[in-house]
Amino acid sequence: MAAPEERDLTQEQTEKLLQFQDLTGIESMDQCRHTLEQHNWNIEAAVQDRLNEQEGVPSVFNPPPSRPLQESNISENIMLKSMGTNIQPCFTPLVTEKAGEHCPLSRTWGLLGWGYYLIMLPFRFTYYTILDIFRFALRFIRPDPRSRVTDPVGDIVSFMHIFEEKYGRTHPVFYQGTYSQALNDAKRELRFLLVYLHGDDHQDSDDFCRNTLCSPDVVSLINNRMLFWACSTNKPEGYRVSQALRENTYPFLAMIMLKDRRMTVVGRLEGLIQPDDLINQLTFIMDANQTYLVSERLEREERNQTQVLRQQQDEAYLASLRADQEKERKKQEERERKRQKEEEVQQQKMAEERRRRNLQEEKERKSECLPPEPSPDDPESVKIIFKLPNDSRVERRFHFTQSLTVIHDFLFSLKESPEKFQIEANFPRRVLPCLPSEEWPNPPTLQEAGLSQTEVLFVQDLTDD
């Protein structure tokens, strides 16, 4: 539990205060806090300076004036799972160090410092283990409200408005979208992406924004050569990006670009920096990594050309395939038409064959139903000579009392007679009503039709009609 004078401190500062007291053995919490504040809460520098005082060495700590860029030999692999992007820093800023300024083990501590360090090592291990467990449990009991991102675009727009109200409208053009969208646009356009995380409570943030970030030269450089994304770490979206990039202090800038086919941090600038230094370091980062963008552009152009060529080949293949399919379809249609035509011809032949068979059966039936021919001596008989359409003649006797239908049935039963016909008489010229009709429902007899004992009748072919 922190003392009452620690209530106004942040959780991180409280942890540093307890850690500093544990390392130095100073009982007064106020003295520990005062020492850390003098060293800008840099616990390593404060411990080293404290050990120097115990050995009688004057304090050598001074805040770093600038942070030149140097390529790191160790490549971090920060996996932005929440952002959906792999970030691999390739460059890291190193401050201009004095002896023992950042690492308490980088210079000789002396026997007293080493002895105290070794004695306190087990207690420090136990303390930090318990502290980690406590912090892990605290996240479930009292989660950080910044960990829940509900409106990332709203966080960006809100920060833009606050920034303009405080520092004016002369500033780099803010990317009005989420961090993930900025990464995707930088990747698609093959441009550098400069990320700025704003620490509202840091003492250097105001000076950096007002004098460096809003400098006309800096604004011109950023707007012309890169995308610029910025947000406050007090906003959920900015806090999420802060957790991914793991900055050490503010102001914080990270240069990100597409390298080896993934978005990579190629430069990190931390701490207060002057406009000229910022321009020089950003220019150095871009010049050092420009070849990667050029190479990526060439590879992308080659991939695009390959894709276009493959697309053209695919289109040519599809066109050829469609042409072959069209030919095959036409052949299939032609084969289908021929098959249908053959089927129609076959059906017509079969229908004609059935018709002829039915006609022949009908002729045979009519022939069997004909009454016997009267004898020539019968006074009631009539001799009729039929002149057929093929100029052949047929003779037969009929009885006066027989119906004209008998004459029609006789002619129908003949092989030489047409399928449809009518019988005509010459004197007077008339058509004999041999079949039932509306005018003659019951055909008349030969006598009623006015036929004499010897008649010549003409058979008129009506098949075509």
Side-chain angles (χ1 to χ4, degrees), residues 166-431:
K166 191 172 183 180
Y167 305 110
R169 295 183 176 273
T170 303
H171 57 75
V173 177
F174 291 99
Y175 182 90
Q176 299 187 26
T178 65
Y179 178 66
S180 299
Q181 292 172 346
L183 287 174
N184 291 333
D185 284 352
K187 181 178 181 180
R188 184 181 66 255
E189 299 174 10
L190 292 178
R191 297 182 63 185
F192 289 99
L193 173 64
L194 183 62
V195 175
Y196 169 61
L197 294 179
H198 183 78
D200 294 276
D201 301 328
H202 197 274
Q203 60 185 6
D204 294 333
S205 296
D206 186 72
D207 188 8
F208 174 78
C209 292
R210 193 177 306 277
N211 299 322
T212 301
L213 193 58
C214 295
S215 171
D217 294 337
V218 174
V219 172
S220 176
L221 175 66
I222 294 176
N223 290 342
N224 292 331
R225 300 194 60 183
M226 65 196 77
L227 296 176
F228 182 69
W229 185 92
C231 190
S232 171
T233 54
N234 287 342
K235 303 290 184 181
E237 176 71 358
Y239 178 74
R240 180 171 66 171
V241 178
S242 172
Q243 294 297 304
L245 297 180
R246 299 294 181 183
E247 75 281 5
N248 296 317
T249 186
Y250 300 99
F252 173 79
L253 293 169
M255 183 74 80
I256 303 174
M257 61 170 286
L258 183 64
K259 183 177 180 181
D260 298 330
R261 296 190 179 181
R262 58 180 176 179
M263 298 304 289
T264 304
V265 176
V266 295
R268 298 165 64 94
L269 302 175
E270 297 179 289
L272 184 60
I273 185 172
Q274 298 303 315
D276 293 339
D277 294 336
L278 178 59
I279 292 174
N280 292 335
Q281 294 195 25
L282 292 179
T283 304
F284 174 77
I285 294 173
M286 290 186 290
D287 293 342
N289 294 277
Q290 189 67 33
T291 54
Y292 294 103
L293 288 183
V294 173
S295 176
E296 184 63 32
R297 289 191 184 98
L298 293 176
E299 291 182 5
R300 182 173 294 185
E301 183 178 357
E302 183 178 355
R303 289 196 300 268
N304 291 338
Q305 292 178 353
T306 303
Q307 184 177 1
V308 170
L309 179 59
R310 185 176 301 171
Q311 183 178 359
Q312 293 176 349
Q313 292 175 347
D314 292 342
E315 291 177 355
Y317 171 75
L318 291 177
S320 176
L321 181 61
R322 285 193 293 268
D324 293 341
Q325 291 175 345
E326 182 67 17
K327 291 180 180 179
E328 183 63 25
R329 185 185 65 81
K330 291 182 178 180
K331 290 181 179 180
Q332 182 66 24
E333 289 179 353
E334 184 66 22
R335 288 194 293 267
E336 185 67 19
R337 283 195 296 269
K338 289 182 178 180
R339 185 187 64 81
Q340 291 178 357
K341 188 174 182 180
E342 291 176 355
E343 289 182 356
E344 291 175 358
V345 172
Q346 187 67 21
Q347 291 175 359
Q348 290 175 358
K349 290 181 178 180
M350 294 175 62
E352 181 67 17
E353 184 67 23
R354 286 194 300 270
R355 187 187 66 78
R356 290 178 180 179
R357 187 169 55 250
N358 294 335
L359 180 62
Q360 184 63 30
E361 292 176 355
E362 181 69 13
K363 287 178 178 291
E364 293 175 357
R365 187 179 65 80
K366 294 287 186 181
S367 177
E368 292 176 356
C369 294
L370 288 175
E373 183 178 3
S375 65
D377 299 334
D378 188 350
E380 297 295 328
S381 66
V382 179
K383 178 182 178 182
I384 301 178
I385 301 173
F386 298 99
K387 189 174 181 181
L388 300 179
N390 58 1
D391 294 333
S392 61
R393 294 175 178 269
V394 178
E395 295 182 5
R396 193 182 189 281
R397 288 183 174 274
F398 298 91
H399 203 276
F400 271 118
T401 59
Q402 292 177 340
S403 173
L404 292 177
T405 304
V406 176
I407 299 175
H408 184 276
D409 292 344
F410 167 71
L411 292 173
F412 182 79
S413 64
L414 298 176
K415 293 182 179 181
E416 299 85 355
S417 65
E419 183 177 350
K420 293 181 181 180
F421 57 88
Q422 65 183 10
I423 303 173
E424 298 178 354
N426 266 346
F427 302 103
R429 188 175 181 84
R430 64 189 185 280
V431 177

Side-chain angles (χ1 to χ4, degrees), residues 86-104:
N86 293 331
I87 301 296
Q88 180 182 3
C90 292
F91 290 85
T92 182
L94 299 177
V95 297
T96 304
E97 298 182 357
K98 296 183 180 180
E101 187 175 30
H102 272 146
C103 181

